[in-house]
Amino acid sequence: MKKLLTLAALTTAAALAGAQQAPEAAAKPAGGPVKGATYVVDPTHTFVNYEMGHYGTTTNRGRFSTKDGSIKIDPSGSTGKVDITMDISSINTGVDLLNRHLMSKDFFNVAEFPIARFVAGQIDFSGDKVTQVNGTLTLMGQTRPVLLKANRFNCYLSPLINRQICGGDFETTVERSQWGISWGLAFGFEDKVRLLVQVEAVNIQ
């Protein structure tokens, strides 16, 4: 645990440094995920964005931050495991009144269910690229299957922390009513929600 906390502090410091000045060396390709390796999720580069139809006109959008997580690659390099925790109280739509409504019992009931968790026991690869992750999402006390498909994936050697980082953009569409979130379904708020997930994780071995 101490090692994970130290690495989290390191990646946060590196992100701040990178925002202030360009690294002296560019990031280098680093092949695919290392067989048997454990990766810790970088919360400064890992977020869950959602899109939901609104009265058949505009799209309602928001974002959740992640608290922590890990990804373990199987020794064969052909699959792996994922465990990521999301901070539901971090929801941000850009509108404070809407944020408060979404945190209420009408939607996420953050007082009772402050976190969500995605757990997967299967990672599919094509060569050294992740193509999809098959797992479950626990939200509002309900656990349902979710399949995340990769839109992009890559690994690189970070010039800021001199470690391999792997990550990508993933996507799925779910029906929020499966988790008991039904407010507004009868008057304009769609059931289908598009989830856009960006993930970066650092090799700690």
Side-chain angles (χ1 to χ4, degrees), residues 177-204:
S177 59
Q178 290 190 326
W179 286 269
I181 305 173
S182 57
W183 190 92
L185 291 179
F187 53 88
F189 288 79
E190 294 180 5
D191 193 14
K192 289 186 177 181
V193 179
R194 184 184 181 205
L195 300 179
L196 302 168
V197 184
Q198 63 179 77
V199 180
E200 285 196 15
V202 183
N203 187 346
I204 62 173

Side-chain angles (χ1 to χ4, degrees), residues 139-158:
L139 179 68
M140 301 279 291
Q142 305 287 329
T143 301
R144 299 286 184 267
V146 169
L147 179 65
L148 295 176
K149 294 186 177 181
N151 293 327
R152 67 167 70 190
F153 183 86
N154 194 39
C155 298
Y156 67 95
L157 181 63
S158 170

